[in-house]
Amino acid sequence: MAGSNGKQKTVRDMILSLGLIGIAAAVIYVFIPHDDSAPDIKKVDYRVELLTARRAASYPVAAPEGLPAEWKATSVRFRGDRFDAWHLGFNAPGGEYVQIEQSTQKASEFIDEASQGGEATKQTQEIAGRTWTRYTGGRYDALVHREDGATTVVAGTGSFTQLAEMAKSLKMA
């Protein structure tokens, strides 16, 4: 009989301990602040990198002018050692992503990389005096333009309307 009383006490102590742990977890959850909203997207200033790229690149480097304030630049880089590769990424209205990619790399490889597997369609679009070819089927849809020994890709999760808006705003210098 003495042994069974010890087992009952052990089970009771374990249940009390679990209850206290549950109460402590509930108090911590209630009183420690937590924010479930989407984080603010940090805007980057790309002017210095753009000036550097325009001086160093062997082609006219593209950057947007006159985009609405809802478009936030989120990433920028220029790699002179990798085919004069220029990248400028934006958070577009509606939470979509749109990027500008340029390079002197072999066009087929570069387009595949920039669109992440996109395939050329037979559709072309005249935007701001340039002919752009649509690419679909990859992770990103894309508009592609080749000129001056470089390939320009406007790609992203945005709609073709957003991609065209970006392509229309591009100034090549």
Side-chain angles (χ1 to χ4, degrees), residues 3-5 7 11 20 27 31 39 45 62 65 68 79 84-85 90 98 117 121 124 135 148 153 158 163:
S4 66
N5 189 18
K7 286 182 183 179
V11 170
L20 286 174
V27 168
F31 290 106
D45 185 0
E65 284 188 2
R79 300 276 314 264
D84 286 344
F90 283 83
V98 175
T121 67
T124 60
Y135 279 67
D148 297 325
V153 178
L163 299 179

Side-chain angles (χ1 to χ4, degrees), residues 29-107:
Y29 179 78
V30 169
F31 290 106
I32 293 192
H34 49 280
D35 186 10
D36 294 336
S37 64
D40 284 336
I41 295 176
K42 186 177 177 183
K43 186 175 181 177
V44 299
D45 185 0
Y46 58 88
R47 291 177 294 185
V48 172
E49 287 86 351
L50 177 60
L51 289 173
T52 301
R54 284 186 169 163
R55 280 190 214 118
S58 61
Y59 56 85
V61 174
E65 284 188 2
L67 279 177
E70 297 88 33
W71 291 77
K72 291 183 182 178
T74 58
S75 59
V76 61
R77 73 180 160 274
F78 175 72
R79 300 276 314 264
D81 62 331
R82 293 218 354 106
F83 306 104
D84 286 344
W86 168 246
H87 162 86
L88 186 55
F90 283 83
N91 182 16
E96 300 297 337
Y97 177 73
V98 175
Q99 66 183 5
I100 303 157
E101 300 279 345
Q102 284 183 291
S103 179
T104 58
Q105 183 178 1
K106 182 179 173 186

Side-chain angles (χ1 to χ4, degrees), residues 149-163:
T151 304
T152 303
V153 178
V154 176
T157 60
S159 66
F160 275 110
T161 302
Q162 287 178 315
L163 299 179

